[in-house]
């Protein structure tokens, strides 16, 4: 009989416009091992306020257990461009996040090293490792349809970060303003009318990227049978498999990878010099 290896456990946090969610994740299986904790994103969504709520969420996750085993790092997905721990944009979040030292801020607030990346990039990572994009060679694009449109681009499983394809311009407008799930809700669009907008969006994406696979995530992807069959692309377009948990799982995987790389990996040069 072979001894069963203990699973590697890490914490993933998913910061969104309406909620901050976190859980302990088995990063080998790509599964939550305990219930996730969710608190509302504070009114206004300013950096210090968000960091404080994230700390409360993390404290509850750690208290409920089990203990993370990969090290001290906590992975965080955030809905903005994130370069080396600094948030660069703020499409659907408070403008104070532009050029905010997010990793530093969250590391202080959480009392553990925080590694921060774009929300769609971490959700995409989870889908490519464990979900709809698993073992798919070539170019895979994962999109999330929610308040905005998030995107994650993979080439043979390697992420090209911060692609921001939700902001492609269509008829002079930001694509996510017309085609995100929030547009469907705001304008009370039928599935058919929304699918027409999605068709234009994904046709443009396909023209630019020539993907081998397109994965569609975000909360609305659980109703994929209402709109995915209406879309016609050359590449297969499939629903995400990890749905709402992809962000937490991908963030935890990122934390585990940084823990494995050592205590100073991933820290900005000025801090390691
Ligand atoms: C932001 C992206 C984010 C996406 C999904 C967009 O508005 O610019 O950074 O990934 O929304 O949250």
């Amino acid at each position: 009989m072979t001894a069963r290896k203990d699973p590697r456990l890490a914490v993933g946090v998913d910061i969104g416009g309406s909620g901050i969610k976190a859980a302990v994740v088995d990063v080998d299986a790509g599964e939550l091992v305990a219930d996730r904790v969710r608190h509302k994103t504070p009114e206004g969504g300013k950096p210090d306020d968000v960091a404080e709520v994230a700390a409360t969420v993390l404290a509850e996750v750690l208290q409920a257990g089990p203990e993370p085993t990969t090290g001290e790092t906590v992975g965080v997905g955030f809905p903005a461009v994130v370069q080396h721990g600094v948030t660069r944009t703020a499409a659907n979040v408070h403008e104070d996040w532009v050029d905010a030292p997010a990793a530093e801020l969250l590391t202080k607030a959480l009392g553990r090293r925080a590694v921060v990346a774009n929300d769609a990039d971490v959700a995409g990572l989870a889908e490519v490792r464990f979900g709809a994009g698993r073992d798919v060679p070539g170019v895979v694009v994962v999109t999330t349809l929610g308040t905005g449109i998030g995107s994650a681009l993979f080439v043979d499983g390697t992420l090209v970060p911060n692609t921001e394809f939700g902001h492609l311009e269509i008829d002079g407008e930001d694509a996510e303003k017309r085609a995100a799930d929030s547009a469907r809700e705001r304008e009370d669009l039928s599935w058919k009318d929304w699918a027409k907008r999605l068709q234009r969006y994904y046709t443009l994406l396909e023209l630019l990227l020539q993907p081998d696979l397109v994965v569609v995530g975000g909360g609305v992807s659980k109703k994929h049978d209402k709109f995915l069959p209406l879309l016609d692309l050359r590449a297969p377009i499939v629903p995400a498999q990890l749905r709402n948990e992809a962000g937490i799982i991908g963030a935890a995987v990122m934390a585990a990878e940084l823990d494995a790389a050592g205590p100073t990996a991933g820290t900005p040069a000025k801090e390691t010099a």
Side-chain angles (χ1 to χ4, degrees):
M1 214 174 85
T2 48
R4 197 177 165 277
K5 236 177 115 200
D6 286 337
R8 293 182 307 139
L9 306 180
V11 180
V13 181
D14 185 7
I15 298 182
S18 55
I20 299 177
K21 307 175 284 190
V24 182
V25 174
D26 176 336
V27 294
D28 296 309
E31 282 168 6
L32 270 54
V33 293
D35 287 344
R36 58 160 218 205
V37 173
R38 181 185 191 275
H39 279 247
K40 271 193 183 157
T41 305
E43 199 66 36
K46 284 194 169 191
D48 285 338
D49 299 338
V50 167
E52 199 183 310
V53 176
T56 307
V57 170
L58 178 67
E60 287 178 25
V61 165
L62 294 176
Q63 203 195 358
E67 281 270 315
T69 61
T70 62
E72 279 294 299
T73 309
V74 172
V76 183
F78 191 87
V81 168
V82 186
Q83 287 178 316
H84 313 291
V86 178
T87 39
R88 295 293 187 196
T89 58
N92 294 305
V93 293
H94 195 280
E95 62 185 27
D96 283 2
W97 285 99
V98 176
D99 296 335
E104 211 175 291
L105 189 83
L106 286 161
T107 296
K108 268 194 208 128
L110 303 181
R112 289 181 173 233
R113 177 167 67 154
V115 52
V116 188
N118 174 264
D119 59 350
D121 282 348
V122 291
L125 183 67
E127 286 297 331
V128 161
R129 292 282 174 88
F130 308 107
R134 186 175 185 165
D135 296 331
V136 179
V139 177
V140 174
V141 58
V142 180
T143 54
T144 60
L145 302 175
T147 308
I149 297 181
S151 63
L153 179 66
F154 295 85
V155 183
D156 290 331
T158 300
L159 173 71
V160 180
N162 293 312
T163 44
E164 293 291 319
F165 294 133
H167 300 293
L168 287 171
E169 201 177 298
I170 297 182
D171 294 337
E173 260 195 293
D174 212 12
E176 70 174 21
K177 291 272 164 338
R178 285 184 57 78
D181 191 40
S182 58
R184 181 184 67 84
E185 288 179 337
R186 192 174 54 239
E187 298 178 43
D188 201 16
L189 298 175
S190 65
W191 292 109
K192 200 171 148 211
D193 285 342
W194 187 47
K196 281 188 201 148
R197 295 186 184 186
L198 290 176
Q199 179 68 48
R200 280 205 69 191
Y201 177 66
Y202 284 111
T203 301
L204 178 59
L205 207 60
E206 176 155 68
L207 175 77
L208 296 174
L209 301 174
Q210 302 298 330
D212 294 290
L213 176 71
V214 180
V215 179
V216 180
V220 73
S221 67
K222 61 173 174 287
K223 299 192 187 137
H224 58 88
D225 54 321
K226 305 262 192 236
F227 62 96
L228 284 191
L230 305 178
L231 301 183
D232 181 22
L233 293 187
R234 198 156 61 89
I237 179 162
V238 299
Q241 285 172 6
L242 307 169
R243 308 252 164 81
N244 264 341
E245 262 136 39
I248 295 176
I249 295 169
V253 166
M254 183 173 70
E257 283 179 357
L258 211 62
D259 277 333
T264 55
T267 35
K270 66 175 169 51
E271 288 180 26
T272 50

